[in-house]
Amino acid sequence: MPLSDRERKVLEELELDLASEDPRLARQLSSGSVGQSFRARSYFGAMSFLIGVVLLIAGIAAQIILVGIGGFLLMGTGSYLLVERGLAGRFAGPKPTKHA
């Protein structure tokens, strides 16, 4: 179903507002590179977290403190990579708006 003229105009206005407020984000969205970096970071974070859990359990079971500490640090790094994107925008506060 094609867009109506009004919907097309509103969409163009939104694109222009985005380009004027955050040109870097507008370039990333138009190039399609945002999704790729998000997927790579999520995959690396999840794998780091899972390997960290295995190392932590193995370190505790074998009573090797350094392996357990390394696993804990790897878990922390993996969980940071997984949630960092979502929390960064949540605590940044509201963006100032332009009043025309």
Side-chain angles (χ1 to χ4, degrees), residues 1 5-6 17 23 32-34 36-37 40 53 55 59 67-68 74 77 85:
M1 185 164 123
D5 290 336
R6 182 180 180 280
D17 286 344
S33 64
V34 173
Q36 294 172 353
S37 66
V53 169
L55 285 176
V67 173
L74 195 58
T77 302
R85 272 301 238 220

Side-chain angles (χ1 to χ4, degrees), residues 41-53 74 78 82:
R41 182 176 297 179
S42 297
Y43 176 77
F44 184 70
M47 293 307 295
S48 298
F49 183 82
L50 292 175
I51 292 170
V53 169
L74 195 58
L82 284 171

Side-chain angles (χ1 to χ4, degrees), residues 54-77:
V54 170
L55 285 176
L56 178 64
I57 293 171
I60 291 171
Q63 295 182 351
I64 302 173
I65 294 173
L66 290 178
V67 173
I69 291 173
F72 180 77
L73 292 174
L74 195 58
M75 276 176 40
T77 302

Side-chain angles (χ1 to χ4, degrees), residues 4-100:
S4 69
D5 290 336
R6 182 180 180 280
E7 292 171 334
R8 199 171 294 127
K9 183 179 178 185
V10 169
L11 183 59
E12 288 173 4
E13 288 175 5
L14 287 172
E15 289 175 0
L16 290 174
D17 286 344
L18 175 64
S20 67
E21 288 181 15
D22 196 351
R24 184 173 148 235
L25 177 62
R27 279 193 307 272
Q28 285 179 339
L29 289 174
S30 65
S31 70
S33 64
V34 173
Q36 294 172 353
S37 66
F38 178 74
R39 281 190 296 270
R41 182 176 297 179
S42 297
Y43 176 77
F44 184 70
M47 293 307 295
S48 298
F49 183 82
L50 292 175
I51 292 170
V53 169
V54 170
L55 285 176
L56 178 64
I57 293 171
I60 291 171
Q63 295 182 351
I64 302 173
I65 294 173
L66 290 178
V67 173
I69 291 173
F72 180 77
L73 292 174
L74 195 58
M75 276 176 40
T77 302
S79 59
Y80 174 77
L81 290 174
L82 284 171
V83 299
E84 177 256 340
R85 272 301 238 220
L87 294 178
R90 191 173 300 162
F91 294 116
K95 289 186 177 184
T97 58
K98 293 181 183 178
H99 296 297

